[in-house]
Amino acid sequence: MTPRTTAILSALAEEQQGLLERLQQPRRVTRAGRDFWLGDLHGQPVVLALSRIGKVAAATTATTLIEAFGVQRLVFTGVAGGVGPDVRVGDVVVASEFVQHDMDASPIFPRYQIPLYDRERFACDVDLSALLSGAVRAGGYTLHQGLIASGDRFVSAAEESRLLQEALAAAGHAPLAVEMEGAAVAQVCFDYGIPFAAMRTISDRADDTAHVDFPKFVTEVASRYALAIIEEFVRGLNTMHPT
Ligand code: SAH
């Protein structure tokens, strides 16, 4: 049986670099103004892509991966701002679910509900997320599992972060982290019935120093974490029973 093709979506080029260097028989295909890298990683057929930043860009990339490259599962790596009380810079969050913190079609639909989907959250695939969490633990990183909130804002002020969390809490959502793409990719994968898992290394605390911490962290820490975790995850795919 031909193994399933796995899409590995990275938010930032620095995170993709290490994977690209390890890709066997690399082949580049350009589509929708984006580069997609096809090849093998530890014996698994993969397509590497950059999500680009923000929900729409990430949704286009995810849709292209599914429609044009026929990927059968999708894993996302990126960085995020930590908002959960114990979620610190350098910790890793594996998403169990996603919510869009900037979705508000009230009063027609309840706040945070995705119109016409009758839901506020999209869940990640349980088996794939367990494999990803195992890879995080294997690397000795501090792991959190739970809700991530996505929206088209780089949250870089303590007051903004507080208000955002307060509003989410009033609707029963307590995210561990905020970022700008995950919920969009989760929605696309839901539409297509494609298993999805996502990890985020915490680069900042979504507060007034977020913009300072961010660039240095991405190059020095997050890219190394993402590479180690994804390599371990892909090795794990070899032993995963077909779903
Ligand atoms: N300066 C970067 C752009 C960063 S945008 C550049 O030059 O390319 C922030 C990226 O990190 C997004 O992909 C987002 O998902 C994530 N992120 C990290 N911290 C965040 C925060 N505090 N708020 C929102 N997104 C954050």
Side-chain angles (χ1 to χ4, degrees):
M1 197 176 75
T2 323
R4 294 167 171 232
T5 303
T6 305
I8 303 173
L9 257 180
S10 312
L12 304 160
E14 294 92 330
E15 293 173 320
Q16 193 193 48
Q17 192 52 39
L19 293 172
L20 211 48
E21 285 162 11
R22 284 158 180 76
L23 193 66
Q24 304 289 305
Q25 284 105 42
R27 190 162 68 86
R28 187 182 66 173
V29 179
T30 303
R31 194 103 177 200
R34 291 146 161 79
D35 286 340
F36 294 86
W37 289 92
L38 286 66
D40 285 331
L41 205 60
H42 300 296
Q44 286 284 328
V46 297
V47 184
L48 308 183
L50 294 178
S51 68
R52 299 210 173 188
I53 295 168
K55 289 184 298 174
V56 174
T60 301
T61 309
T63 306
T64 308
L65 280 163
I66 297 166
E67 284 284 1
F69 298 97
V71 303
Q72 289 141 308
R73 50 167 97 93
L74 206 149
V75 62
F76 193 107
T77 82
V79 292
V83 293
D86 306 322
V87 180
R88 302 198 168 82
V89 171
D91 291 356
V92 178
V93 175
V94 169
S96 56
E97 289 180 291
F98 281 96
V99 63
Q100 292 186 28
H101 66 70
D102 54 357
M103 175 57 77
D104 187 358
S106 62
I108 307 164
F109 296 96
R111 184 147 187 209
Y112 304 115
Q113 191 174 109
I114 312 295
L116 312 182
Y117 283 80
D118 197 29
R119 61 174 66 225
E120 297 173 6
R121 300 180 181 201
F122 290 101
C124 296
D125 183 72
V126 172
D127 293 341
L128 216 53
S129 301
L131 193 64
L132 191 57
S133 296
V136 174
R137 283 197 197 93
Y141 307 106
T142 302
L143 169 71
H144 306 266
Q145 292 164 286
L147 179 69
I148 294 183
S150 312
D152 288 327
R153 279 194 68 82
F154 183 72
V155 182
S156 58
E159 181 61 4
E160 182 188 353
S161 171
R162 193 185 64 76
L163 291 172
L164 195 143
Q165 288 178 69
E166 214 172 75
L168 281 166
H173 306 295
L176 298 175
V178 286
E179 39 85 309
M180 302 176 68
E181 299 84 17
V185 177
Q187 188 172 335
V188 170
C189 290
F190 172 86
D191 284 339
Y192 285 95
I194 297 280
F196 171 57
M199 60 152 277
R200 294 275 178 169
T201 305
I202 300 305
S203 55
D204 58 86
R205 280 287 306 172
D207 58 14
D208 305 82
T209 60
H211 66 290
V212 184
D213 303 347
F214 186 79
K216 188 160 170 268
F217 185 85
V218 167
T219 34
E220 290 178 12
V221 184
S223 9
R224 285 195 286 117
Y225 279 32
L227 179 60
I229 294 167
I230 291 300
E231 280 205 282
E232 180 66 20
F233 169 82
V234 172
R235 280 189 216 106
L237 286 176
N238 289 314
T239 59
M240 196 174 163
H241 58 87
T243 49

